[in-house]
Amino acid sequence: MTTVNTIQTFGMLPVSQIPTFTNHSTKMRRFFSDHHRRRSPALQLFTIIIFFFLIHLSTAWRPWPNQKHNLTSLQFGINKKYEGSSEFVKLKYHMGPVLTTNITIHIIWYGNWKISQKKIIREFINSISNSDHQTPSVSGWWKTVQLYNDQTDLNVSRTVNLGEEKNDRLLSHGKTLTRLSIQSVIKSAITAKTRPLPVHPKGGVYLLLTSDDIYVQDFCQNVCGFHYFTYPSIVGYTLPYAWVGNSAKFCPGVCAYPFAVPDFIPGLKPVKSPNGDAEIDGMVSVIAHEIAELSTNPLVNAWYAGQDPTFPVEIADLCEGIYGTGGGGSYTGQMLNDKDGATYNMLGIRRRFLVQWVWNNVVNYCTGPNALD
Ligand SMILES: *[C@@H]1O[C@H](CO)[C@@H](O)[C@H](O)[C@H]1NC(C)=O
Ligand SMILES: *[C@@H]1O[C@H](CO)[C@@H](O)[C@H](O)[C@H]1NC(C)=O
Ligand SMILES: *[C@@H]1O[C@H](CO)[C@@H](O)[C@H](O)[C@H]1NC(C)=O
């Protein structure tokens, strides 16, 4: 689920609950211990203060309109954290299912879509399980998602297939969708008289993509996409689904960041998108975010952090805005630049993509295929 400010609360633990120096994750330990081998009480206090400072500022980052932004602090990396590394992140398994059988993604194209736009998104999805291309690869990115398993020790499937597609050009449920009416759009797609989308509850998921003139509840305020599951009372089945919107008309500076930048942070410069369509290239990372979370938390009772199951912090939420080594806060981390000036961090079938990293529960920080170490 894409949410705002979610892990800031981890910075508010009382001092007595702050773990000691030796408990810090590997990354943090490396960061501090190279310089300070002996641990004096003063040093320990210093470490705790710095650590607290970093954690307090470390939130999944997007330039949301309702947050205060300040270019000076962005440029000087005051918000910098280190790939989300944090002892405060307690990602837990809550015994529910993960998607262990071949995952099939059925797309519903709501509104008007260009062929060129559909192609970029299809090729991204087709790249997830294709290990033929060079590194850093999209399939390398998926390896972190595959680290999550269920109570029978089966891992998330390595196979992600593009399933069938349905066009809803005539807007069966209007130009403004709510979380509930999204479920009705899915119902229409699986019950259509002509070429309905197939229903196979094992490994079948639905991806609703809305064109740039469609407004969805909370879009741009605090979500660029989300995932959940359908209610049998509306759809007839419990099916995991995700929604991601094209932000071109409403908020490219928020949802297609860093390929577009918001007006409310003057002076910030966008980077060049790798496939010539900033908003679609921005959507790719949000789609990746939702697919990673759908697979590890399809019924919202498997892998998440936080106390509140109605407000779970999932594996991609923890790393939103991090695309490379050193990333955190408002700093994207080290990305790759091609000869044509495009910025990306992984390769897929015939294309380059920029996709956020995801939380790695084995090492306890965000990882991705373009990591430098
Ligand atoms: C931006 O943030 C920096 C550091 O926090 C502060 O010194 C500066 O005054 C702020 N600038 C504005 C315009 O708010
Ligand atoms: C799952 O995908 C793999 C690799 O694409 C394929 O070999 C296998 O037959 C599939 N399994 C099922 C049950 O469809
Ligand atoms: C499956 O999950 C376990 C536990 O996280 C991990 O150690 C193992 O490497 C994973 N297997 C694959 C193929 O990723």
Side-chain angles (χ1 to χ4, degrees), residues 58-297:
S58 62
T59 46
W61 201 84
R62 227 178 229 294
W64 296 113
N66 52 3
Q67 286 175 323
K68 291 230 177 349
H69 298 282
N70 169 334
L71 186 64
T72 318
S73 66
L74 295 185
Q75 279 172 339
F76 291 97
I78 291 168
N79 284 332
K80 204 163 183 175
K81 69 174 173 180
Y82 300 85
E83 292 136 42
S85 165
S86 167
E87 268 300 307
F88 297 112
V89 175
K90 295 272 182 263
L91 191 76
K92 275 205 212 118
Y93 178 55
H94 298 260
M95 306 311 273
V98 306
L99 299 183
T100 58
T101 57
N102 291 359
I103 297 164
T104 305
I105 299 176
H106 303 293
I107 300 183
I108 301 166
W109 304 98
Y110 197 80
N112 269 312
W113 289 87
K114 289 188 203 146
I115 289 172
S116 61
Q117 297 177 323
K118 289 180 169 181
K119 233 173 150 173
I120 297 169
I121 291 170
R122 286 189 192 118
E123 289 185 353
F124 172 71
I125 292 172
N126 279 326
S127 299
I128 297 174
S129 329
N130 181 304
S131 44
D132 297 342
H133 41 266
Q134 297 159 292
T135 53
S137 65
V138 177
S139 60
W141 169 81
W142 188 253
K143 284 207 162 31
T144 305
V145 183
Q146 284 176 253
L147 290 174
Y148 291 84
N149 53 15
D150 67 9
Q151 35 179 327
T152 66
D153 278 342
L154 288 171
N155 290 57
V156 167
S157 172
R158 74 171 288 280
T159 304
V160 178
N161 296 313
L162 181 59
E164 295 187 27
E165 299 177 37
K166 187 85 192 150
N167 291 301
D168 194 333
R169 261 187 227 99
L170 299 178
L171 312 181
S172 62
H173 293 78
K175 287 192 103 166
T176 302
L177 299 177
T178 63
R179 286 183 176 239
L180 276 182
S181 67
I182 279 178
Q183 296 204 17
S184 304
V185 173
I186 294 170
K187 183 185 169 114
S188 299
I190 64 173
T191 55
K193 287 204 187 71
T194 56
R195 306 187 54 206
L197 288 184
V199 175
H200 43 96
K202 264 201 163 181
V205 304
Y206 299 84
L207 178 61
L208 172 67
L209 302 174
T210 51
S211 59
D212 60 6
D213 51 345
I214 306 301
Y215 185 75
V216 174
Q217 187 177 355
D218 298 331
F219 192 21
C220 296
Q221 295 313 305
N222 49 28
V223 296
C224 299
F226 63 77
H227 76 92
Y228 207 62
F229 52 85
T230 60
Y231 301 145
S233 57
I234 299 177
V235 179
Y237 308 88
T238 301
L239 303 166
Y241 73 89
W243 158 75
V244 180
N246 181 342
S247 63
K249 292 212 174 103
F250 296 117
C251 63
V254 176
C255 291
Y257 183 85
F259 302 127
V261 295
D263 300 336
F264 54 82
I265 316 182
L268 202 57
K269 296 262 184 309
V271 299
K272 186 176 171 190
S273 79
N275 299 294
D277 187 327
E279 287 79 21
I280 301 298
D281 275 316
M283 277 182 85
V284 164
S285 190
V286 183
I287 290 170
H289 175 129
E290 300 306 333
I291 294 174
E293 294 184 342
L294 259 185
S295 305
T296 51
N297 201 23

Side-chain angles (χ1 to χ4, degrees), residues 22-49:
T22 44
N23 285 341
H24 295 158
S25 67
T26 345
K27 272 265 149 117
M28 272 301 187
R29 202 180 313 138
R30 205 186 307 150
F31 177 66
F32 289 116
S33 67
D34 287 351
H35 304 289
H36 316 288
R37 292 249 170 245
R38 276 182 304 127
R39 279 180 280 136
S40 68
L43 180 60
Q44 227 166 24
L45 184 66
F46 169 78
T47 307
I48 286 170
I49 290 167

